[in-house]
Amino acid sequence: MSQKLHQLFTIAAVSLLVGLTACEDKQAVKKGKPYTGPLEEINNVQVLYSEAGLLKVKMTTPLQLKYESKDLIYPKPVNIEFYGPNQEVMTTLRADSGRYMNDKNMYKVMGNVVVVNKAKNEQLKTDELNWNPVTKKVYTEKRVNILLKNTGERLDGDGLDSNQDFSDYSIRQPRGVFRIEPGTGI
């Protein structure tokens, strides 16, 4: 074989070997890092919770991501309606995003959370709310602001505990000016 042909063959063999090694390195990097992204992506989600054949809660959101842990992430606005015994919407909730934590069987909504209790004509604002579908309890450690639309009063505080339709709630650390009706004994 001529020396020139031998040099071309050697260059081609080295190039091929370098190329194969580069491919193996890329595959090793891919194999070394487990995939942690969503396993499932669902658009235009509507989730319904019912008891004894009656609708209790309806959640809608444009996007749901499901992960290997069975956690669900709702990266876009979440809208929830809580229904009363006559199937009327009693309370609405809107948040910028949310998530379902499978290991705790808990939902959390975050960002500009607004809850409107239609029956009591009250509006709650906070940064975060947690909902346990088993106990039907809602709570937060965050700052809350409640506007009593009938009277124009505003209740502020840190932390809140409530039932799921917000008809009965308590602020953990209330603050502000409160009007007390005469004759209440307080």
Side-chain angles (χ1 to χ4, degrees):
M1 182 158 42
S2 76
Q3 185 156 348
K4 202 166 201 167
L5 187 59
H6 187 283
Q7 286 175 339
L8 285 174
F9 179 72
T10 303
I11 291 171
V14 168
S15 296
L16 180 62
L17 185 59
V18 169
L20 289 175
T21 303
C23 288
E24 287 178 24
D25 288 344
K26 286 180 185 175
Q27 288 175 350
V29 168
K30 283 184 179 179
K31 288 180 183 176
K33 291 186 177 180
Y35 178 72
T36 57
L39 301 178
E40 189 176 272
E41 182 176 312
I42 302 173
N43 293 303
N44 302 317
V45 175
Q46 180 175 306
V47 178
L48 305 173
Y49 286 94
S50 62
E51 291 176 6
L54 296 175
L55 182 61
K56 293 294 182 183
V57 180
K58 178 172 89 172
M59 181 188 75
T60 57
T61 186
L63 181 63
Q64 172 184 291
L65 305 173
K66 184 176 182 179
Y67 290 80
E68 188 172 344
S69 64
K70 295 189 172 76
D71 285 359
L72 305 174
I73 304 292
Y74 308 101
K76 296 189 177 191
V78 175
N79 292 290
I80 302 174
E81 295 176 337
F82 295 90
Y83 290 82
N86 296 323
Q87 297 298 273
E88 72 281 8
V89 176
M90 300 293 293
T91 304
T92 61
L93 180 148
R94 187 250 171 243
D96 290 342
S97 64
R99 74 178 301 145
Y100 170 73
M101 296 157 286
N102 182 57
D103 61 335
K104 298 177 182 176
N105 190 23
M106 294 283 295
Y107 285 88
K108 179 183 285 194
V109 291
M110 293 95 44
N112 299 307
V113 179
V114 177
V115 178
V116 176
N117 179 318
K118 292 182 176 195
K120 293 174 79 173
N121 203 20
E122 295 177 350
Q123 177 179 290
L124 173 134
K125 291 184 179 181
T126 188
D127 290 330
E128 178 182 289
L129 277 178
N130 300 285
W131 175 54
N132 183 324
V134 174
T135 63
K136 300 177 182 112
K137 298 293 181 188
V138 175
Y139 67 92
T140 186
E141 307 289 331
K142 304 289 184 178
R143 182 181 178 106
V144 295
N145 169 270
I146 300 173
L147 175 61
L148 309 174
K149 292 182 178 182
N150 291 338
T151 64
E153 289 179 89
R154 200 177 94 184
L155 308 174
D156 293 307
D158 295 320
L160 175 116
D161 295 291
S162 176
N163 59 352
Q164 72 182 11
D165 66 3
F166 293 90
S167 61
D168 185 31
Y169 59 83
S170 63
I171 298 174
R172 293 180 186 175
Q173 295 177 357
R175 63 176 174 274
V177 178
F178 303 97
R179 180 173 41 173
I180 300 174
E181 295 296 324
T184 59
I186 297 177

